[in-house]
Amino acid sequence: MKTEHLSLSDLTNIYRIMLLSRKFEEKIVELFHSGKTRCFTPHLGIGEEAVSVGAFYGLSKQDLISPHYRGATAAWLVRKLPATELMCIYLGKKSTGLANTMAVQWTTNMTLNVIGMASSILGGGIEIAVGAALGAKLGKTGQVVVNSFGDGTTNRGNFHEALNLAAVFRLPIVFVCQNNQWAMNMRVAKAVTVGKISKRAVAYGFPGITVDGNDVLAVHQTVQEAVQRARDGLGPTLVEAVTYRMSPHSERDPDQYRAEAERRKWRRKCPILRLEATLKAKGMPQEELLNIQQNAADEIAKAVDEALSRPDLTPEDRLQQWSAIYREIYI
Amino acid sequence: MAELTFREALRQALREEMRRDPNVYLVGIAIGSYRRGGVFGVTEGLLEEFGEERVIETPISEGAIIGSSIGAAMLGKRPVAEIMDAEFLVTCFHQLVYEASQMRFFTSGEAKVPLVVRTAFGATVNAMPIQQQSPESWFLQSPGLKVVMPSTPADAKGLLKAAIRDDNPVLFFEHKKLYDIRGPVPDGDFVIPLGRAEVKREGRDVTVIATAWMVHEVLEAARRLGSRGIELEVVDLRSILPIDKKTILESVKKTRKVVIAHEAKKTGGVGAEVSALIAEEAFEFLDAPIIRVAGPDLPMPFVPSSEDIVQAVESLLRA
């Protein structure tokens, strides 16, 4: 792992966020299967943390991010959304802070400059992110947009329309394809004939780069270079980060279509263990690593406790809230 | 007050709003240098006045036009997108009915999408099956959107200005047969609030509720019937989302007989919604069943005419 571009405190922070995301999502699995969640079936990104964290870490607060639904947990944690608030969305509880306004975990939060979808239609977020980049360019705000999506989404028409539009307008945006090699039960090789998804950038005349998506520092460095390019007015880049979906497609997916051996092989490539090895090599004492791990576990346990102590967000609450918005719109 | 065509009135609204607010920009396919400013000529001269940063021509990518306009609008821009023909709305249906309409709800009001989508619709040639559609009622199931259908040059100007100033996504349907009609248009900052119908002609005998071009067919029918002593009250909906219940019900209570006329197919058209509304809220005032004069449930447009409206009124009066 190349680490020259990051300080030890950045490396530690990246490690901490990845761990938090992992522990958060492992907790969601447990809560979902014990019937304690009240949300859309979780679609988790366990094992894919390096992509979100690497892509979204180190931007300015004004820069906009637009994360893929799978990996949104890590993206929110990068943007410092407290774990308790995100937990409230999964547990169907009233949040009192920054997540208060969010109906689902992959939507928009203007305070945190996160631009997301108001549906679950893949590719919609890419177009909206392109629009945010257009808005930034027209307004000469200097903001850059980093948008991530899955390999499956690159087969949708709006991916192609959006990338072409971004190219012809030379918009300040970085596209990050989180290629986890599976779209539900379809292997990426059966859905894409060009081999590397980054090759698709050729069609739009901007650079496409494939990077090891389990190497958080490689993802980070590649995206940061693309961000600089975007900031310099040189237009978009497509970064393909190749990772592996350790989670089933969703928590309702029995995941019977792939061999255990394949999962086992990728478990050994765990992005968190890899960063841990790097930190050790840099001289971080075992004791400090254990300390970070314990703190992350404590933080998630506390988030669950706090979220569970919040009042339920009932269907009546939502109905009242949305009816009030309806009245604001039409009256 | 100037005499303008519907097209000129729209252009005046766009120009005035673009001069007033630097965040307003136009985006679409062939809206700048093509012919005389777009296929229908509405945006003529605006590229010259405002430049390429505010009259943005795009590739043929309606989904990306609307999707990206949503993102820009969320950042405080006020895009006015043109979808050349309403037939093409299907290619950005997702972006309109889920992303644009729901964003404000999904963020509890935090994110607003001040977007206007102008589109040309309606039949110019009866029974020609291409680019003649009236798909406005598809959007009635999308709370969060507003849907506007002007019928006169003055309404075109006043409603378009209101649409651009609205903080919500507004679909603005321009009937192609209206572009060349002339009428008086108030000068200066003339804005008509969205969601209000207008009684275009007062009458005591039958209420006829209509939209866009059909308003003119109804007015023609009213002239013919008027010479025979039958007085139609003509209600122009102007907005179909939201629908101006108050104006409709007041007229129904006065005349007690209702015809609803639109070019769109009968099943699930705006007329179905208006009929249901009247049945729910003013049933006891009706002297006869409501009659809908609409296109048949067939792929091609077969557009009702003033003659169809005359016949509907006559059958209602015989009942």
Side-chain angles (χ1 to χ4, degrees):
Chain A
M1 274 188 185
K2 282 169 76 180
T3 58
E4 309 82 65
H5 60 297
L6 285 163
S7 68
L8 187 61
S9 93
D10 276 327
L11 292 175
T12 311
N13 204 15
I14 286 173
Y15 178 65
R16 189 187 60 79
I17 296 168
M18 288 173 72
L19 258 179
L20 262 185
S21 176
R22 173 71 58 91
K23 293 194 182 300
F24 184 98
E25 295 203 334
E26 284 173 349
K27 184 56 81 176
I28 294 297
V29 173
E30 184 190 316
L31 291 166
F32 177 79
H33 293 288
S34 58
K36 292 205 178 72
T37 55
R38 208 153 52 76
C39 61
F40 183 67
T41 309
H43 290 55
L44 302 172
I46 291 173
E48 304 177 42
E49 295 87 352
V51 183
S52 275
V53 179
F56 301 127
Y57 189 85
L59 298 167
S60 97
K61 266 191 239 166
Q62 280 67 46
D63 289 330
L64 293 138
I65 68 169
S66 169
H68 183 33
Y69 69 84
R70 194 187 304 284
T73 304
W76 289 116
L77 295 169
V78 170
R79 284 278 151 138
K80 300 192 171 68
L81 183 73
T84 303
E85 298 201 37
L86 194 54
M87 193 60 81
C88 283
I89 296 180
Y90 280 96
L91 299 184
K93 296 289 182 174
K94 276 184 183 149
S95 163
T96 49
L98 282 169
N100 180 35
T101 57
M102 292 153 50
V104 291
Q105 59 271 26
W106 58 83
T107 194
T108 294
N109 185 312
M110 299 303 285
T111 314
L112 296 176
N113 281 327
V114 178
I115 295 269
M117 294 190 289
S119 78
S120 64
I121 301 167
L122 297 177
I126 306 180
E127 293 166 331
I128 293 172
V130 164
L134 176 62
K137 183 171 182 174
L138 292 175
K140 300 182 174 60
T141 64
Q143 290 161 296
V144 168
V145 181
V146 180
N147 165 233
S148 66
F149 43 82
D151 47 281
T153 306
T154 70
N155 298 317
R156 297 215 71 244
N158 42 13
F159 164 84
H160 297 279
E161 284 195 25
L163 266 68
N164 187 53
L165 202 70
V168 297
F169 294 159
R170 272 189 174 236
L171 296 180
I173 185 163
V174 180
F175 300 107
V176 179
C177 175
Q178 183 172 327
N179 178 359
N180 66 14
Q181 308 187 48
W182 288 91
M184 297 191 79
N185 63 327
M186 182 167 279
R187 214 179 258 290
V188 68
K190 281 183 85 176
V192 176
T193 55
V194 291
K196 290 179 175 175
I197 284 172
S198 60
K199 280 192 192 167
R200 290 189 157 172
V202 172
Y204 313 109
F206 55 72
I209 304 160
T210 297
V211 64
D212 180 348
N214 278 19
D215 179 346
V216 67
L217 304 178
V219 175
H220 182 258
Q221 187 172 12
T222 309
V223 171
Q224 284 294 308
E225 284 164 10
V227 165
Q228 194 52 51
R229 218 181 98 78
R231 226 184 279 289
D232 292 343
L234 298 174
T237 305
L238 172 61
V239 177
E240 175 194 19
V242 181
T243 180
Y244 187 77
R245 199 188 77 204
M246 293 303 299
S247 297
H249 167 66
S250 84
E251 290 309 308
R252 289 193 202 281
D253 169 15
D255 205 348
Q256 295 153 325
Y257 42 81
R258 46 184 187 171
E260 182 52 34
E262 184 178 298
R263 245 180 312 223
R264 222 173 14 245
K265 183 181 110 189
W266 279 91
R267 201 170 287 129
R268 287 195 294 274
K269 299 184 184 182
C270 170
I272 296 178
L273 292 178
R274 282 175 71 178
L275 181 57
E276 220 171 280
T278 304
L279 287 168
K280 276 187 199 159
K282 284 194 153 288
M284 183 176 280
Q286 179 68 18
E287 192 180 310
E288 195 176 335
L289 284 169
L290 289 173
N291 202 19
I292 297 169
Q293 289 165 14
Q294 189 57 49
N295 285 344
D298 291 349
E299 191 172 337
I300 298 307
K302 189 165 151 258
V304 175
D305 286 347
E306 281 183 8
L308 285 172
S309 74
R310 300 273 177 88
D312 285 347
L313 180 70
T314 64
E316 291 71 29
D317 292 329
R318 182 74 84 205
L319 182 65
Q320 272 185 21
Q321 186 194 44
W322 284 16
S323 299
I325 293 170
Y326 181 91
R327 285 191 296 274
E328 263 176 51
I329 293 172
Y330 291 113
I331 294 163
Chain B
M1 198 177 294
E3 277 277 311
L4 298 179
T5 63
F6 190 87
R7 172 187 294 112
E8 288 164 343
L10 290 168
R11 189 186 303 139
Q12 190 174 80
L14 292 172
R15 178 176 279 125
E16 286 178 13
E17 290 307 294
M18 290 176 82
R19 285 179 180 168
R20 187 186 61 78
D21 182 351
N23 284 317
V24 177
Y25 71 88
L26 311 185
V27 59
I29 298 162
I31 58 170
S33 58
Y34 185 81
R35 238 157 75 177
R36 58 199 200 303
V39 172
F40 300 106
V42 173
T43 48
E44 183 180 10
L46 299 180
L47 174 64
E48 291 75 3
E49 179 171 347
F50 297 101
E52 285 182 353
E53 283 221 334
R54 297 189 64 199
V55 179
I56 302 175
E57 294 199 313
T58 71
I60 301 168
S61 302
E62 286 85 353
I65 291 171
I66 301 304
S68 66
S69 295
I70 293 166
M74 285 161 71
L75 257 66
K77 292 282 157 192
R78 303 187 88 84
V80 181
E82 181 174 305
I83 297 298
M84 191 185 296
D85 193 284
E87 184 159 304
F88 308 156
L89 286 171
V90 289
T91 60
C92 47
F93 200 63
H94 145 221
Q95 293 81 354
L96 290 167
V97 307
Y98 288 118
E99 310 300 350
S101 70
Q102 295 189 154
M103 192 61 76
R104 189 163 171 168
F105 291 98
F106 267 51
T107 60
S108 304
E110 198 197 22
K112 291 183 182 141
V113 183
L115 161 67
V116 178
V117 180
R118 295 179 39 246
T119 190
F121 83 107
T124 48
V125 184
N126 222 359
M128 182 173 84
I130 296 295
Q131 296 187 8
Q132 306 284 306
Q133 310 287 344
S134 294
E136 67 275 9
S137 73
W138 292 344
F139 300 96
L140 294 181
Q141 286 271 317
S142 299
L145 292 181
K146 297 185 181 184
V147 182
V148 179
M149 304 180 80
S151 71
T152 67
D155 286 355
K157 177 178 176 182
L159 292 168
L160 184 53
K161 285 174 76 99
I164 293 171
R165 293 181 195 189
D166 202 284
D167 278 340
N168 301 288
V170 181
L171 266 161
F172 200 89
F173 281 88
E174 301 166 5
H175 197 291
K176 282 174 283 197
K177 270 159 96 171
L178 291 171
Y179 282 127
D180 287 318
I181 68 157
R182 289 190 162 274
V185 177
D187 300 319
D189 202 27
F190 171 65
V191 181
I192 300 171
L194 304 183
R196 296 203 197 149
E198 187 180 56
V199 177
K200 286 282 196 281
R201 181 187 197 278
E202 291 195 27
R204 60 173 191 268
D205 296 320
V206 177
T207 294
V208 187
I209 300 164
T211 54
W213 173 257
M214 208 46 59
V215 171
H216 297 272
E217 296 288 345
V218 173
L219 288 168
E220 170 60 21
R223 277 187 286 276
R224 287 170 54 189
L225 289 162
S227 66
R228 290 156 49 190
I230 299 164
E231 294 300 331
L232 299 190
E233 175 141 305
V234 182
V235 178
D236 176 3
L237 286 179
R238 300 200 295 194
S239 290
I240 60 162
L241 182 61
I243 288 178
D244 180 352
K245 225 178 353 185
K246 186 166 166 281
T247 304
I248 292 171
L249 295 178
E250 272 171 15
S251 182
V252 170
K253 287 174 187 174
K254 179 171 133 190
T255 65
R256 308 175 77 92
K257 293 175 212 64
V258 183
V259 173
I260 304 163
H262 56 63
E263 206 170 300
K265 297 166 187 65
K266 187 172 182 179
T267 301
V270 177
E273 184 57 33
V274 174
S275 308
L277 179 74
I278 295 167
E280 279 174 346
E281 305 210 15
F283 184 74
E284 68 274 26
F285 291 91
L286 290 175
D287 284 345
I290 296 165
I291 294 182
R292 283 183 285 163
V293 178
D297 293 330
L298 293 170
M300 291 177 185
F302 295 95
V303 182
S305 65
S306 57
E307 178 55 30
D308 296 310
I309 292 151
V310 168
Q311 284 178 20
V313 169
E314 284 171 343
S315 74
L316 197 57
L317 292 173
R318 275 197 304 272

